[in-house]
Amino acid sequence: MSRSLLAVHAHPDDESLTMAGTLASAVAAGADVTLVTATLGEQGEVIGDDLQGLVADRADQLGGYRLTELRAACAALGITDQRLLGGIGTFRDSGMVGTPSAEHPHAFVRAAAGGRDHDRAVAALVEVIDETEPAVLLTYDADGGYGHPDHVAAHQVALAAAANARWRIPRVLAVIRPSTATLASFASFTGPADHLRAEAADVGSLAADDLVAVAVPTAPVAQARERALGAHGTQVELLPGGFALSNRIAQPLPDSEYFRLLVGEPPPRQANGAPAGDVFAGLG
């Protein structure tokens, strides 16, 4: 079976924050990796003073700038096939729940299940699936990781496209943060004194440990992950052993990236009972 992988994300930087190690590892192992991003992240906040004028309620030029960051991150990870869902400008960052930006006619939240643009988004992703024929599709869990409406919509579009494509994807996985490992990493992490501290559950949902089907170690590709995160300079501040977003909450970078099975063939566990260490495990 071809070792091809498709990752589906909502905004530029999501790929690097959630699964940079997994994507870089797949590329290093010779897999064909395609990254589909739904929006340009137009509603994002900006770190630092120099580029504040790019934000949506001023010049509204942040999306184009973030596209250059996304391309630099892909170069750092070795990804050569990077696409915007439906083409550049088809869908727009919805912003957080309850914000006026969610009412924009192109807001990606409208692509959620039951939304006006759901079928159009699904059809666009089906085209990518049938062209690239991935062995594995990676996306978010049902809650989007922390409830962002665009993450939830990306999950729903990805599952619907996998179900409707001509190509039957053998395995669909969702990136998660298992409780024990995540709590331990936060407990052992000391960020800079001028940054905020938070509990793990304050910056995203935690999953039950027994849901972990794959745990991909990040150490072998740590430099690629750091370069990819650093490419998203308007969104991510690199810290020793961690990072912060515009909220200045210091968070640790995990030693592994964890996935649960959504659809398809379960990855075989290792001889010691541990989760598989490769998203392609058992697929031939």
Side-chain angles (χ1 to χ4, degrees):
M1 178 178 293
S2 171
R3 287 175 64 87
S4 57
L5 184 151
L6 171 62
V8 179
H9 283 282
H11 316 106
D13 82 353
D14 289 331
E15 81 297 326
S16 296
L17 288 166
T18 63
M19 59 181 70
T22 302
L23 299 176
S25 295
V27 171
D32 296 320
V33 176
T34 298
L35 171 64
V36 172
T37 308
T39 79
L40 292 170
E42 296 91 342
Q43 296 300 136
E45 298 177 348
V46 171
I47 294 173
D49 296 330
D50 292 352
L51 300 176
Q52 288 297 324
L54 295 175
V55 297
D57 60 358
R58 296 178 68 180
D60 195 18
Q61 296 295 310
L62 181 58
Y65 194 91
R66 290 187 71 179
L67 177 59
T68 68
E69 294 182 328
L70 176 61
R71 288 175 172 169
C74 285
L77 298 173
I79 298 171
T80 58
D81 187 5
Q82 174 267 316
R83 313 181 189 200
L84 273 295
L85 185 64
I88 293 176
T90 300
F91 298 107
R92 183 180 173 91
D93 184 354
S94 305
M96 298 303 291
V97 174
T99 57
S101 54
E103 300 303 318
H104 191 283
H106 300 301
F108 189 59
V109 69
R110 296 171 182 260
R116 184 193 68 186
D117 289 332
H118 180 68
D119 291 346
R120 181 160 66 117
V122 170
L125 189 56
V126 163
E127 287 188 13
V128 178
I129 292 170
D130 285 341
E131 174 191 343
T132 62
E133 298 185 348
V136 177
L137 186 153
L138 305 179
T139 189
Y140 316 103
D141 211 351
D143 65 355
Y146 65 101
H148 194 296
D150 288 346
H151 287 222
V152 174
H155 164 87
Q156 294 171 345
V157 168
L159 283 186
N164 285 280
R166 170 191 56 77
W167 172 255
R168 311 318 298 173
I169 303 174
R171 178 179 295 156
V172 180
L173 299 170
V175 64
I176 59 173
R177 299 193 310 154
S179 179
T180 298
T182 305
L183 291 173
S185 67
F186 270 75
S188 63
F189 177 66
T190 302
D194 60 347
H195 282 63
L196 303 174
R197 295 200 64 179
E199 299 297 325
D202 294 334
V203 291
S205 58
L206 301 179
D209 295 343
D210 61 5
L211 290 177
V212 176
V214 181
V216 180
T218 58
V221 290
Q223 291 184 342
R225 176 175 68 171
E226 184 171 321
R227 290 195 302 270
L229 285 166
H232 292 288
T234 64
Q235 307 299 305
V236 181
E237 177 188 2
L238 283 173
L239 305 173
F243 69 95
L245 304 179
S246 59
N247 57 19
R248 293 185 62 78
I249 295 175
Q251 301 182 51
L253 286 168
D255 295 331
S256 295
E257 292 166 351
Y258 303 91
F259 300 86
R260 66 172 294 186
L261 180 69
L262 292 178
V263 178
E265 185 174 336
R269 300 189 78 83
Q270 300 184 54
N272 63 1
D278 176 3
V279 296
F280 295 102
L283 292 180

